[in-house]
Amino acid sequence: MTQFFQAAAMTGERIFLYDTTLRDGAQTQDVDFSVADKIAIARDLDRLGIDYVEGGWPGANPTDDAFFAQAPELKRSTFTAFGMTRRPGRSAANDPQLAALIQSTARAVCIVGKTWDFHVDVALAIPREENLELIADSVAALKAAKGEALFDAEHFFDGYKRNPAYAASCIRAAFEAGARWIVLCDTNGGTLPHEVESIVRQVVEEHGIPGDRLGIHCHNDTENAVANSLAAVRAGARMVQGTINGLGERCGNANLVSLIPSLMLKMGCDVGIRPDDLPLLTEISRKFDERLNRAPNRHAAYVGASAFAHKGGLHVSAVEKDPSSYEHVAPEAVGNRRQIVMSDQAGRSNVIARLREMGMAVDPKDERLNRLLDLVKQRDTEGYAYDTAEASFELLVRRELGEVPDYFTLKRFHVTDERRYNAKGELVVESEAVVRVRIGGTEYHEVAAGNGPVNALDTAMRKALEPRYPALGGVKLSDYRVRILAAKDGTGAKPRVLIRSQNGDGAEWSTLGVSTNIIEASMEALVDSYAFTLFKGGVQPRG
Ligand SMILES: CC(=O)SCCNC(=O)CCNC(=O)[C@H](O)C(C)(C)COP(=O)(O)OP(=O)(O)OC[C@H]1O[C@@H](n2cnc3c(N)ncnc32)[C@H](O)[C@@H]1OP(=O)(O)O
Ligand SMILES: CC(=O)C(=O)O
């Protein structure tokens, strides 16, 4: 019987979600959103059903000004602007920064204000009473102008630990001025879950701010931003702020991509996202990383490619009987998928599962399974990591079972590289490859130049193969990665080359090669890629 966690406590409790990817996420080092990025990300958050999308800070920089000027129309999310309380010495009506917030296209405005006495004394250098006026005036002005004002209580937990009465008086000022949400911020990210839970409980029970007016905004400096947010919800907070993939200042913010399924699937909360839309999470998380030009984290909770990848033989054996034996939720619930990994950690169950994925039904008692398992383990010790090269794995298996026709044989190859200055004094780097390939009964000898050795080899191979196998024409290399297997061997180390190929229909597959010679390893991966294309295309070998 399946043992997936059944949501128990808090069933049906409405928790509001507030995304600050476009504001706090934009404060991540190395992240620089364009207006087009912001529009696309806001649309994805709206599609998912996030309650509030904080677009940025109107008046702070040209990108945010341009974005607010052409803000996307959101169907489900409240488009929100961010800013700060009025400056000391100015009235709310005469503060240009508040004016920009009021004039913005946002439907709600969230302002940050000080709640730690130390910051009031040092950063603002004003009397503590005056800070309370800054908060109250600003919230009241925004509420009057926009209808909905939110207050981010900066450094609330640090402030509360040092001076609870003052921190509480700051949030009380915002509450009484009409803030819809008072958001308790762990700005420096140093608070631990038991402290968050206890302080939020005190705010509700001792300081009279109801949970349905309280939000939480956590930073990840102790890797507890998600845990802290869940602790705040347990203590009564009913709004959670966070970002896609945990982007944000320094170590980031609470990661909404892990928070959302934990709230929905484990704590039974209603976060305003339809269960049918929860599978969008994996797509949105990965698309977001692609947009930032960084590889999605394979090990990310819920949505990483490895989040439901089973490698250990004992795990796979049990997963084959019931996936809940080694999975805390069903991968499909969040748009992810199960993966069975082949390696030296595998058992017969891994092989059977992978063969099934390849469309091959085998009798679990088939003796050939042991032979295949020994072969995979032997190759793994030589450096062939098949867990990321599914096409080379399929060829290995099918060759072993005698199913792959003899399309061609690479008899020999030769590459020369040249680095020289031409007559104009320009640096020229060129490669030339010579290949000898047997196809049927005939040997072909081809020569090609390239801008590097792999390009020259690929071109020479295609000159020999494509006239006989036109199906290879639409295939191109889409990624090429090299990894040294034992760094201690320095330049004598064995590299593993992983090649990703793509055909005209957008289908992709990975092949690998391993050798102390990087060119030989590349050639092995290329040859597998050609053979896989022909085999999967059902091409008949040329006589
Ligand atoms: C915790 C957070 O993440 S809050 C969000 C932080 N995000 C950002 O800072 C990114 C966007 N910020 C900016 O583009 C700029 O800082 C601006 C446009 C907002 C302000 O720029 P500047 O006018 O040049 O001021 P600067 O950034 O140097 O300093 C901020 C000023 O605001 C004051 N200030 C800080 N917080 C508050 C507050 N809550 N209420 C009123 N004033 C404040 C500071 O004391 C400082 O005043 P000072 O210049 O008299 O010392
Ligand atoms: C407001 C905010 O981003 C913080 O206090 O961390």
Side-chain angles (χ1 to χ4, degrees), residues 327-346:
E327 288 173 359
H328 66 118
V329 294
E332 305 77 35
V334 289
N336 207 341
R337 68 179 192 90
R338 182 171 307 121
Q339 210 190 330
I340 304 298
V341 174
M342 280 309 303
S343 74
D344 62 347
Q345 307 290 315

Side-chain angles (χ1 to χ4, degrees), residues 13-24:
E13 199 76 47
R14 179 72 160 99
I15 305 294
F16 289 78
L17 296 176
Y18 184 108
D19 181 278
T20 178
T21 305
L22 303 179
R23 195 276 299 173
D24 213 324

Side-chain angles (χ1 to χ4, degrees), residues 20 23-24 27 54 82 110-113 152-156 183-189 217-219 241 249-250 253:
T20 178
R23 195 276 299 173
D24 213 324
Q27 291 172 220
E54 190 175 74
F82 179 87
C110 179
I111 49 164
V112 62
D152 271 0
E154 195 187 14
H155 294 114
F156 180 76
V183 186
L184 309 180
C185 300
D186 185 29
T187 306
N188 292 1
H217 171 113
C218 293
H219 278 269
Q241 294 198 353
E249 184 93 29
R250 301 184 311 281
N253 283 76

Side-chain angles (χ1 to χ4, degrees), residues 23-24 27 57 60 82 84-88 112-114 123-124 134 154 187:
R23 195 276 299 173
D24 213 324
Q27 291 172 220
W57 189 328
F82 179 87
M84 65 184 177
T85 51
R86 69 167 169 83
R87 299 269 183 151
V112 62
K114 304 287 185 196
L124 295 184
L134 255 56
E154 195 187 14
T187 306

